[in-house]
Amino acid sequence: MIDEKIEKEMEITKKIFETNQAARQKAGIKLRWPVRGIVITSKKKEVAETVKHMKEILMNMCNSKIVSISSQKPKGDFVGNDFDYGILFLDKSMDEWTRSEAMFRELVRYVQEMRKTNKFNVNESIKLSINSDQKTNKKLQEYKEKIMHEVGAKKVIIGKVSGKIKGQLKFENIMIEIVFDKI
């Protein structure tokens, strides 16, 4: 049996996701960085229904805190992209949460890349140490548990570094020193 309504919703969801990716590219926002919100303007009833039914999925797929439907263009720092069902507006503004979350994701990606470069097995645990400026170290402290989980670390030390495998991550104008060893 084919459920035409679900098929249509999946088609619209896919188009929204693809348009989100194009808008991110236009705005210079990496896919792994979260955005504050996406607003879709459309005169088509099925788009509003899809956004309502698929909201959680769209938030996850589009890496957005909010996905909403509106009858008019939103005010603020948005980039717009037309698509078959309307216009998608992506919020380009970075608040403290989106900036911190983007930094966390870049850090995780960089550590995983370092692990791969140094031929670590996925199951091998590490002792990770991270150091940056005082404000960044404080922010990283809030993410300590998530960092441990994401990079396979048994221990994470923030504020001083020691170990054999060394690297530096530049995020915006912040330098983060990253050092780790196998446990």
Side-chain angles (χ1 to χ4, degrees), residues 39-43 69-74 85-89:
V39 178
I40 298 149
T41 61
S42 179
K43 291 183 173 37
I69 192 94
S70 178
S71 58
Q72 56 194 18
K73 179 183 175 180
Y85 298 97
I87 305 171
L88 180 142
F89 293 95

Side-chain angles (χ1 to χ4, degrees), residues 97-113:
W97 179 83
T98 53
R99 185 170 277 108
S100 296
E101 196 68 21
M103 181 178 65
F104 159 72
R105 293 177 186 185
E106 285 297 316
L107 176 72
V108 167
R109 180 204 54 82
Y110 187 77
V111 172
Q112 298 294 38
E113 196 175 281

Side-chain angles (χ1 to χ4, degrees), residues 18 20 22 39 41 49 52 55 92 96 99 102-103 109 133 144 167 178 180 183:
E18 291 167 354
N20 167 69
V39 178
T41 61
E49 288 177 7
K52 182 181 172 188
K55 190 174 201 144
K92 297 189 313 180
E96 189 64 33
R99 185 170 277 108
M103 181 178 65
R109 180 204 54 82
D133 61 83
K144 188 174 179 176
I178 300 163
F180 62 88
I183 288 186

Side-chain angles (χ1 to χ4, degrees), residues 157-175:
I157 300 164
I158 298 170
K160 60 182 179 180
V161 291
S162 66
K164 294 180 187 141
I165 300 166
K166 300 176 183 191
Q168 278 194 327
L169 170 67
K170 184 172 184 184
F171 176 78
E172 294 182 334
N173 60 346
I174 301 166
M175 288 302 291

